[in-house]
Amino acid sequence: MAGFWGRRRREEQEALAAQDADLARQAQTSLVSADERIRVTTDELTFAELELGVEPTEDLRKALVAVRTHLAEAFHLHQLNHDEIPDTPEELRTRNARIVQLCEWAEDLLDDRTHALAEPIARARRAPEIIAGVRADAERLRARLPQARETVARLAARYAADALTQIDANPSHAEQLLGFAEHSASVSERRREAGQREQANLALEAATEAARRAATLIDAVETFEVEALRAESTLSAIAEDSRQDLVVARTAPQVPAVTAAMAELDAALHALPAAGVNTDPFTLLTRLREANGALDDAIAAAHERAAHPIPPLDHVRHAIDDADRQLSVTRDVIAGHRGWIGADARTRLAEAERIRVDLDRYLGTSASAATMIDEDHREQALAMARRVGFLANEGLQLAQRDIDASRPQVGPGQFGPNAGWGGGRRDGGSGLNGILGGFVIGSLLGDIFDG
């Protein structure tokens, strides 16, 4: 047995030594890789500054400073592993793990920073190509400006001025943007020739953005014409549906909400202009849709209310009064027999009282003092009042059960729980007092329940 355990321990030590050797090799490889990465990235930073300028490459420069600082720590740890002072396996293992961690962090950080610069550098190197594209786009878009102006004029003859506010100035704004794009492209060329790469790149970005916005404005003019025609077609269809909806609505319950929604939809239909009049189809369509939807909602609510009628105010008031009466009875019985009442009855009373307080909060006033309860609150108020009454009544029944269980049990020919006048006492009193108390309490509770 001793030989078995000795062999197993040697195997474990050999396995751990092999792992330590692998970790040491990984630490050395990581050091070489991270150091070489710093050298390569330093060269890349130089090229990036030539392409982009100093400010856009600031993050990469700071990352290199941080990486050099932490890699210096890694080299120091590696030096400690090979100095003349003997080290324990645990010390070597800890240092090598730290070296690997520092090197991996360094390479990850440099990867992140160089990746962020890859696209700007590629765009800067393609600057001549991009500038040529901006100028070509500007020329093509300028050729579309006369057509855009003609489209706006044609739309002005058909639609109201309010409808055209979103596109009537688009051609002139687009022309200004195209001029700015061409000017910015020229500035970018001059700055790049002068070696001012950062300013050149900013001007190039401004040129491409201006050309893109100009194209969007011109496209919006053509899109508006198509969307306006679609809105007119949709408006006609919805108007016809709305007229039929008004006919159907007359068969729905004529509650105030339905009547008001019908009046609003009818007004929206009468607001539709006659043929040949300049209109704003978008505004008219929005109003008609909203009025139509409001009528649908009002009719649905009316049918729902018809299926679940609003409780009369008298019913709600009676339910609240009945809940208060049952609460009062239960509260008095429990208060008068505190030593006999268990947890169940007390819990029902507490829950009933809590819901009664919530009822006052729901109505915004004392429910017992409220003279009017609006229709929107009656159904919930009735449910809460009934719940209070149910819990109070249940609490009273449980209290009666507890009282009955606590009464002295009197047999034939006896005056107490034990034979004889002094046969037993309850709560410090004589058996006769307990009997008389039980008779009186039983009579009172009988009167309450009979009532």
Side-chain angles (χ1 to χ4, degrees):
M1 182 62 70
F4 169 78
W5 290 112
R7 184 171 61 256
R8 182 172 181 179
R9 179 175 178 79
R10 285 194 302 274
E11 290 176 351
E12 292 176 351
Q13 291 176 345
E14 290 173 357
L16 184 59
Q19 293 176 3
D20 289 343
D22 289 341
L23 183 59
R25 284 191 293 272
Q26 184 181 359
Q28 294 180 20
T29 303
S30 298
L31 265 177
V32 173
S33 176
D35 186 56
E36 187 62 26
R37 180 60 189 277
I38 289 177
R39 299 176 189 279
V40 171
T41 305
T42 301
D43 294 338
E44 291 178 347
L45 175 61
T46 302
F47 294 130
E49 288 177 347
L50 292 175
E51 295 290 347
L52 304 176
V54 175
E55 185 175 348
T57 59
E58 181 66 20
D59 287 344
L60 179 57
R61 189 178 303 105
K62 291 180 178 179
L64 276 171
V65 172
V67 165
R68 288 191 182 101
T69 300
H70 287 79
L71 202 62
E73 178 188 349
F75 276 117
H76 177 65
L77 293 174
H78 187 65
Q79 178 61 35
L80 292 177
N81 287 344
H82 295 81
D83 60 15
E84 66 280 2
I85 301 175
D87 299 307
T88 65
E90 289 76 10
E91 290 174 335
L92 292 171
R93 189 179 306 120
T94 301
R95 288 173 190 159
N96 287 329
R98 176 63 174 166
I99 291 171
V100 172
Q101 180 188 29
L102 290 171
C103 293
E104 290 179 348
W105 170 84
E107 297 216 39
D108 289 343
L109 180 61
L110 294 180
D111 283 343
D112 180 69
R113 297 297 185 268
T114 53
H115 179 74
L117 291 176
E119 183 178 352
I121 291 174
R123 187 168 59 249
R125 290 174 178 172
R126 293 176 48 246
E129 177 186 347
I130 295 174
I131 290 174
V134 168
R135 286 174 173 157
D137 289 342
E139 182 178 357
R140 175 177 56 81
L141 292 171
R142 282 187 186 280
R144 293 177 58 190
L145 286 175
Q147 180 182 355
R149 291 190 174 95
E150 291 176 3
T151 301
V152 171
R154 184 171 62 252
L155 294 172
R158 182 178 180 87
Y159 300 109
D162 290 343
L164 297 178
T165 53
Q166 54 182 307
I167 55 101
D168 57 358
N170 281 20
S172 58
H173 289 166
E175 186 173 17
Q176 293 175 359
L177 286 169
L178 291 175
F180 179 76
E182 292 171 332
H183 173 71
S184 297
S186 298
V187 170
S188 179
E189 278 184 329
R190 292 195 298 270
R191 292 292 185 270
R192 188 167 295 278
E193 292 170 359
Q196 300 172 340
R197 297 302 180 92
E198 186 173 339
Q199 297 179 8
N201 291 328
L202 290 175
L204 182 61
E205 291 181 5
T208 55
E209 177 63 16
R212 186 194 65 78
R213 289 178 57 193
T216 301
L217 291 175
I218 295 174
D219 291 341
V221 174
E222 299 177 0
T223 301
F224 179 90
E225 185 173 28
V226 174
E227 292 300 325
L229 291 173
R230 182 179 290 115
E232 284 186 283
S233 175
T234 304
L235 180 64
S236 176
I238 292 183
E240 182 61 27
D241 290 342
S242 297
R243 294 186 182 95
Q244 296 177 6
D245 290 343
L246 282 175
V247 174
V248 174
R250 295 189 181 96
T251 63
Q254 296 301 298
V255 297
V258 173
T259 303
M262 290 176 62
E264 175 59 26
L265 181 57
D266 187 62
L269 287 171
H270 281 86
L272 296 177
V277 177
N278 288 7
T279 64
D280 181 353
F282 301 103
T283 300
L284 295 173
L285 182 59
T286 298
R287 181 184 178 186
L288 200 58
R289 278 175 172 164
E290 290 177 350
N292 195 292
L295 178 59
D296 290 340
D297 293 341
I299 291 175
H303 284 303
E304 177 68 18
R305 179 52 62 192
H308 302 86
I310 298 174
L313 179 59
D314 289 344
H315 289 189
V316 181
R317 297 289 309 136
H318 291 160
I320 293 173
D321 292 342
D322 183 61
D324 289 340
R325 181 186 66 80
Q326 293 188 73
L327 258 181
S328 178
V329 171
T330 305
R331 192 182 293 118
D332 291 344
V333 170
I334 292 178
H337 306 83
R338 291 194 299 269
W340 294 1
I341 305 302
D344 291 344
R346 295 171 187 267
T347 300
R348 302 303 191 278
L349 175 61
E351 182 66 8
E353 289 177 333
R354 184 190 67 79
I355 297 175
R356 183 62 181 83
V357 172
D358 289 344
L359 176 57
D360 284 343
R361 291 174 180 168
Y362 177 71
L363 296 177
T365 183
S366 174
S368 56
T371 56
M372 289 296 296
I373 300 175
D374 61 76
E375 294 183 351
D376 293 337
H377 294 82
R378 290 182 190 175
E379 189 171 355
Q380 180 66 15
L382 179 62
M384 295 175 74
R386 287 175 173 172
R387 180 63 177 165
V388 171
F390 173 81
L391 289 170
N393 182 62
E394 192 174 27
L396 184 60
Q397 293 178 15
L398 291 170
Q400 177 64 46
R401 181 198 66 184
D402 294 340
I403 293 170
D404 290 342
S406 300
R407 284 176 178 168
Q409 301 299 318
V410 182
Q414 294 180 334
F415 293 97
N418 296 314
W421 282 97
R425 292 181 181 273
R426 182 184 298 270
D427 298 333
S430 68
L432 179 59
N433 290 335
I435 295 171
L436 293 177
F439 288 160
V440 173
I441 293 170
S443 175
L444 288 175
L445 287 175
D447 291 340
I448 291 173
F449 284 102
D450 291 339

